[in-house]
Amino acid sequence: MKLPERQNIRNRKSLVSVQIDVASLFPFQLDDFQLEAINHLENGKSVVVCAPTGSGKTVIAEYAVEMALMSNSRCFYTTPLKALSNQKLYDLRKKYGEDRVGLLTGDTSVNRDAQIVVMTTEVFRNMLYGTILGDVKRNLQNVSSVVLDECHYMNDSERGTVWEESIIYAPKNIQLVALSATIANARDLTTWIDETHGPTELVVSDYRPIPLRFHYFGERRLYPLLAPGGATNSFLKSRFGKKKPVIRGDKRRRPIGGLYTHPADVLASLSGRNMLPAIYFLFSRRGCEEAMKMARGIPLLLPEEQKELRMRVEEFTRDNPNLASHPHIPYLFEGMSVHHAGMLPSWKGMVEKLFQKGLLKVVFATETLAAGINMPARSTVISAIHKRSDEGHRELMASEFLQMSGRAGRRGMDEVGHVVVLHNPIESVEDAGKLATAKADPLSSRFTPSYGMVLNLLERHTIDDARDLIERSFGQFLINHQLEPLFTQRLSWEAELPRLRAPLCPAEPGDLNLYAKRLEAIRAKHKQLKQMEKGLKTTAVKARQDAVAALADMKIGIQDLVKEAYAMPCHGCPLQKPCSKQTERVEQLEKRIRDLDKRVKRETTYYWRTFEALANILRAEGYIFGNRPTDLGRTAAGIRGQNELFLTSMAMSGLFETLEPSELAAVITALVGDDSRANENMRIRVSPQVDQALLEVQKTMRRILRLQKEHDIDMPITIGTHLCGLTQMWAEGADWDAIRNATPYDEGDVVRGIRRTLDLARQYVRAPGMPDRVADLCQRVELLLNRDEVSEDF
């Protein structure tokens, strides 16, 4: 498949260019940035829209949908999360009807040929690879635009590469509508898409229809965090001072339940000022649970709200019986709840709906909610400005703070949104003020070549075209951008060299380097001569005659060198010193240019060198022959995961065929697992057959890791066994109460682990060339697992 030339990209036109009466489409006056973006879409260009949360970016996506409908073409609407896809599916079906809106997931296809199709960005990327739903051209037939909602997810360390791949591989005649929260380098992103995909315009707005007001809560009182000019309130600096060091054993500084400020005090203050509902952000699941328990007893609901809340909860629990005995039900009836990744998906869904209806007044949540489902509030409470991360304890990044604070203020309901930062004696109030006024962080690249990428690109492209695609990544664009000053420096050095290489000699030009070498040779010969004369005294009588002859020859040689040097134009030249400096400068610049070229080559070929190393491993394992995937490679190309080579090797090893479906389910859980939250004392036992199979899994993992090390590749393989026993229980028919009682692990983690197992089993079923016995077993695994809490409703 021949790629279009880069210079031709800009000449491509969109499938659609229509104009719609904006006033009839939207019953409210549009903001300037919305009108600007709409104008670019009408002119057939792609757009990058960067604006704060709640500013109305969705209007632009809706206009792209309308353009597709009016021109009888199609629009794909991508989101980063299945939960967001479900919400967007509900919104679009409510507006356009079920027959015009479809849904695609990794395993579900609902009305796939509809004019509007909602999907996660991973599904769109996989569609471009052709790993799902078959032929790429058929899947993208008549698609005029693709909405990339929450495009700032490119910063996600694990999934960010998906957005880059989607933009690189998207057909050039499709308009891209990239919607992003505020980022510092929006212009870089737009320039990259413009160069990679086609004509693209940037639309930026810092306007928030609901302005934010920042507060500081300390000593059971609420204070303005910022002075009128935007600086940190000087009163707070004098009142609360700078952060105080933690002293071991000092009980006065020990937080209550891990919290320095009592949640009940905060909620009482917010309730008294009509600042509820609120999202109360904490940075640990345990902190959320503790805060909710400590806040109990604060009257938050009116009698009529309590009545409706009970009715709604009863409806939810009838549809989801597992929630009826949930330990958080009593807190729910008081108008509060917890929301984090450890909660059951059905519970989180209920909490989201109740909060959106105004029946919950506070949700204690981890920061994942800030980037997730649409749950705006009147206020957000930020419990600390530091958090634990993989890099250790660190201050919040500006974008993290912005993402959480951006949840405050509901359009059409609030005149102002409130952001409350809680006092913490080990944090500086001035740092909190700086975060409140800080600019967003820049978007970085998470582009990562993988085995799946290598196989899918070589299946559809030549090796040269594959390289061209790899070198179009945002990561490569940023590297090239960073190297631009070096290119400029290199040009200045090259411009200096011709002048320096011009001889200073007015008459016959000399060769100062050669003259210097002759002088150096003379000095070396003189040194050697002195050593020979010294050795002559101790030379035996028989050998002395030969030594004297050699000494005479040495002197003649030195005289010849001296004559040659004296005859050179440089001998006695008055310009010898400046000429010497000039020569040294030339050598210095030539070395700098060589070193710079090495650095540029190293940095500009990083992604391609990784690609080539992965390809070499695949050749060694029989997945590629020459530059084309083998049948085994085509099977691996249909698998998506952390390490596709490892996952495919396990499926083709013959191990799966020796297991019963419930045992295979447990083993697949290990392949997609993560033991970061594991506790050996909390592990549920598996059958002996599973234990033996896991030993074989470990052997395969070690073999592939050794092979990768030989090729200087660090492609992780994670095996997580702590949930294997629970998956086997679930596959053998245990109900959810039995699962809940069998382990202290958070229920949400258990559901997520089994769903990942289910997803990989489905991939094995669909992968071309998968042995029939393996596909049959994985299909039976799917039937055993896909029920009750694990089943996803779409």
Side-chain angles (χ1 to χ4, degrees):
M1 181 178 177
K2 184 65 178 175
L3 290 172
E5 296 294 331
R6 284 176 181 264
Q7 59 266 31
N8 292 335
I9 289 175
R10 300 190 60 82
N11 298 324
R12 298 296 184 91
K13 290 187 178 180
S14 168
L15 287 174
V16 55
S17 182
V18 300
Q19 289 191 339
I20 302 170
D21 184 3
V22 175
S24 64
L25 184 59
F26 301 107
F28 50 84
Q29 185 174 352
L30 296 188
D31 297 327
D32 289 344
F33 84 93
Q34 295 167 328
L35 292 171
E36 181 186 351
I38 287 172
N39 181 59
H40 293 315
L41 290 177
E42 289 176 344
N43 290 328
K45 295 183 178 181
S46 297
V47 291
V48 173
V49 183
C50 293
T53 302
S55 59
K57 295 187 292 290
T58 306
V59 165
I60 299 158
E62 290 175 357
Y63 192 84
V65 170
E66 290 285 348
M67 287 177 66
L69 295 177
M70 290 287 290
S71 63
N72 200 30
S73 59
R74 305 172 68 208
C75 176
F76 284 175
Y77 200 114
T78 73
T79 75
L81 304 170
K82 283 186 177 181
L84 286 173
S85 289
N86 288 341
Q87 180 177 314
K88 187 53 63 176
L89 176 71
Y90 172 80
D91 294 341
L92 291 172
R93 280 183 169 178
K94 186 177 179 181
K95 184 171 184 178
Y96 298 109
E98 291 192 12
D99 61 320
R100 304 181 84 176
V101 185
L103 175 76
L104 287 177
T105 70
D107 47 78
T108 304
S109 173
V110 180
N111 197 12
R112 58 178 281 188
D113 295 322
Q115 280 191 273
I116 310 164
V117 185
V118 181
M119 65 191 76
T120 61
T121 316
E122 276 92 347
V123 169
F124 178 61
R125 186 275 311 273
N126 294 346
M127 184 186 295
L128 294 172
Y129 276 144
T131 57
I132 65 171
L133 301 175
D135 182 64
V136 177
K137 288 184 178 179
R138 181 189 180 282
N139 290 328
L140 298 177
Q141 186 175 4
N142 207 29
V143 174
S144 61
S145 59
V146 174
V147 177
L148 298 170
D149 204 357
E150 309 286 346
C151 196
H152 52 271
Y153 261 75
M154 279 178 66
N155 255 347
D156 187 273
S157 58
E158 295 182 3
R159 301 169 59 221
T161 185
V162 173
W163 276 259
E164 287 191 54
E165 293 173 53
S166 297
I167 292 168
I168 294 169
Y169 309 142
K172 306 299 182 279
N173 62 334
I174 290 179
Q175 280 182 293
L176 298 181
V177 184
L179 308 180
S180 171
T182 306
I183 54 175
N185 56 342
R187 175 56 63 187
D188 285 343
L189 176 63
T190 306
T191 303
W192 170 66
I193 297 177
D194 185 82
E195 293 180 0
T196 302
H197 181 78
T200 306
E201 297 291 342
L202 173 64
V203 178
V204 176
S205 173
D206 57 3
Y207 170 70
R208 279 189 60 93
I210 309 299
L212 295 181
R213 188 173 297 161
F214 293 90
H215 309 269
Y216 192 79
F217 188 88
E219 297 178 347
R220 306 178 74 175
R221 291 185 59 186
L222 207 59
Y223 301 92
L225 175 60
L226 303 175
T232 306
N233 188 344
S234 58
F235 170 77
L236 295 180
K237 289 193 282 189
S238 61
R239 181 80 172 181
F240 297 101
K242 296 183 178 179
K243 60 184 179 182
K244 302 178 177 63
V246 177
I247 303 173
R248 290 183 177 274
D250 187 352
K251 295 183 179 180
R252 295 172 298 175
R253 294 276 171 80
R254 188 175 298 166
I256 304 170
L259 305 169
Y260 287 97
T261 302
H262 202 293
D265 293 338
V266 179
L267 294 182
S269 180
L270 296 184
S271 179
R273 289 169 171 78
N274 195 28
M275 292 169 62
L276 296 177
I279 300 175
Y280 200 121
F281 286 110
L282 301 107
F283 298 102
S284 71
R285 299 178 184 182
R286 182 183 174 189
C288 292
E289 308 271 347
E290 291 289 338
M292 182 179 68
K293 293 174 183 176
M294 294 166 66
R296 194 173 183 185
I298 300 292
L300 300 175
L301 297 171
L302 299 173
E304 56 270 24
E305 291 175 326
Q306 290 178 330
K307 184 178 179 180
E308 185 180 355
L309 176 61
R310 286 187 175 273
M311 181 186 71
R312 297 281 185 180
V313 172
E314 288 173 4
E315 290 176 2
F316 279 117
T317 52
R318 275 199 303 270
D319 295 335
N320 300 274
N322 291 324
L323 301 183
S325 58
H326 199 287
H328 289 178
I329 288 287
Y331 301 96
L332 203 66
F333 287 144
E334 292 192 27
M336 62 182 70
S337 185
V338 163
H339 191 293
H340 57 64
M343 308 299 293
L344 277 174
S346 55
W347 176 269
K348 289 194 293 184
M350 178 175 66
V351 168
E352 289 159 9
K353 288 183 173 66
L354 293 174
F355 191 83
Q356 288 165 358
K357 290 184 176 296
L359 298 176
L360 294 182
K361 301 303 179 183
V362 60
V363 170
F364 298 94
T366 53
E367 62 179 317
T368 53
L369 180 62
I373 203 72
N374 181 28
M375 279 180 61
R378 180 166 294 166
S379 302
T380 58
V381 178
I382 300 176
S383 61
I385 59 171
H386 287 78
K387 71 169 189 175
R388 294 192 182 279
S389 67
D390 294 339
E391 297 81 32
H393 201 68
R394 64 167 178 81
E395 187 176 285
L396 294 178
M397 296 173 63
S399 291
E400 292 171 330
F401 188 90
L402 282 170
Q403 195 75 29
M404 287 184 283
S405 60
R407 287 290 173 187
R410 300 163 298 176
R411 195 164 191 172
M413 299 177 67
D414 301 319
E415 293 183 0
V416 65
H418 301 279
V419 182
V420 181
V421 180
L422 303 186
H423 171 62
N424 189 322
I426 62 173
E427 294 178 340
S428 164
V429 64
E430 191 164 6
D431 290 342
K434 289 178 181 177
L435 274 175
T437 56
K439 298 295 183 182
D441 298 307
L443 203 62
S444 58
S445 171
R446 305 295 182 176
F447 185 73
T448 309
S450 65
Y451 292 113
M453 182 188 296
V454 172
L455 291 166
N456 280 290
L457 287 183
L458 293 183
E459 176 67 14
R460 291 164 181 81
H461 304 287
T462 66
I463 191 73
D464 291 335
D465 288 344
R467 179 167 188 168
D468 182 64
L469 285 167
I470 292 297
E471 292 180 346
R472 291 187 193 182
S473 71
F474 187 52
Q476 191 64 65
F477 173 87
L478 291 177
I479 289 173
N480 294 344
H481 188 63
Q482 292 165 1
L483 292 175
E484 280 180 6
L486 296 183
F487 293 134
T488 304
Q489 182 65 72
R490 190 186 192 282
L491 289 174
S492 69
W493 288 340
E494 287 182 330
E496 189 179 353
L497 281 174
R499 178 181 60 80
L500 293 174
R501 286 173 176 149
L504 296 177
C505 310
E508 181 184 1
D511 188 339
L512 188 60
N513 276 334
L514 183 60
Y515 178 69
K517 288 178 182 177
R518 290 292 181 270
L519 295 182
E520 183 62 33
I522 292 169
R523 283 192 288 270
K525 291 287 186 180
H526 270 296
K527 186 175 181 181
Q528 187 179 353
L529 182 67
K530 289 181 180 179
Q531 290 174 344
M532 290 176 66
E533 289 174 341
K534 187 176 180 181
L536 188 63
K537 298 177 182 178
T538 57
T539 303
V541 175
K542 291 182 179 180
R544 184 170 295 179
Q545 186 174 357
D546 292 337
V548 170
L551 200 63
D553 291 341
M554 174 74 71
K555 290 179 180 179
I556 294 171
I558 291 173
Q559 289 174 357
D560 291 341
L561 285 173
V562 170
K563 288 178 182 178
E564 184 180 349
Y566 282 8
M568 296 178 75
C570 293
H571 182 69
C573 178
L575 297 174
Q576 194 177 117
K577 187 172 183 180
C579 191
S580 175
K581 289 182 178 180
Q582 181 172 294
T583 302
E584 289 175 4
R585 176 62 176 167
V586 168
E587 292 175 351
Q588 181 188 59
L589 290 182
E590 288 175 341
K591 183 179 184 302
R592 286 181 179 179
I593 289 173
R594 287 194 302 271
D595 292 344
L596 187 148
D597 288 344
K598 288 179 184 177
R599 177 185 171 185
V600 168
K601 183 177 180 180
R602 184 175 64 251
E603 296 193 22
T604 56
T605 60
Y606 168 75
Y607 294 112
W608 180 243
R609 284 186 285 112
T610 302
F611 185 98
E612 286 187 310
L614 292 172
N616 288 334
I617 293 172
L618 290 168
R619 289 188 186 95
E621 292 290 290
Y623 288 73
I624 293 177
F625 182 77
N627 289 322
R628 301 292 293 178
T630 61
D631 289 341
L632 181 59
R634 293 184 185 93
T635 301
I639 305 297
R640 302 301 303 175
Q642 184 186 49
N643 190 309
E644 295 90 351
L645 174 61
F646 170 67
L647 296 177
T648 308
S649 297
M650 291 311 309
M652 308 301 281
S653 66
L655 175 67
F656 287 8
E657 292 94 321
T658 67
L659 302 171
E660 292 298 315
S662 62
E663 295 167 344
L664 178 56
V667 171
I668 294 177
T669 293
L671 302 185
V672 296
D674 175 10
D675 276 344
S676 60
R677 290 183 174 272
N679 186 325
E680 286 296 327
N681 299 323
M682 295 157 55
R683 195 180 301 274
I684 305 301
R685 292 185 62 83
V686 294
S687 65
Q689 291 83 352
V690 173
D691 274 331
Q692 186 61 39
L694 292 176
L695 293 176
E696 296 300 318
V697 170
Q698 295 276 358
K699 288 181 183 178
T700 301
M701 178 189 73
R702 288 193 291 270
R703 181 183 69 80
I704 292 177
L705 288 177
R706 283 196 300 271
L707 181 62
Q708 291 183 166
K709 188 175 181 180
E710 291 171 6
H711 289 79
D712 197 24
I713 284 294
D714 182 20
M715 188 66 66
I717 300 176
T718 303
I719 295 177
T721 60
H722 68 293
L723 295 179
C724 292
L726 293 172
T727 301
Q728 189 170 1
M729 282 179 60
W730 186 249
E732 290 171 350
D735 61 21
W736 195 256
D737 282 339
I739 297 292
R740 178 187 289 155
N741 294 330
T743 177
Y745 285 121
D746 287 342
E747 294 175 275
D749 291 335
V750 177
V751 169
R752 190 160 46 257
I754 299 177
R755 283 183 176 176
R756 286 176 176 170
T757 303
L758 183 58
D759 177 65
L760 182 55
R762 285 167 169 163
Q763 290 189 55
Y764 283 144
V765 172
R766 293 194 306 267
M770 187 63 64
D772 292 341
R773 173 63 177 158
V774 173
D776 179 61
L777 282 168
C778 288
Q779 202 158 30
R780 292 167 67 186
V781 168
E782 178 184 357
L783 293 173
L784 293 175
L785 298 183
N786 191 29
R787 59 186 175 89
D788 197 24
E789 284 293 342
V790 175
S791 179
E792 294 181 279
D793 296 324
F794 295 101

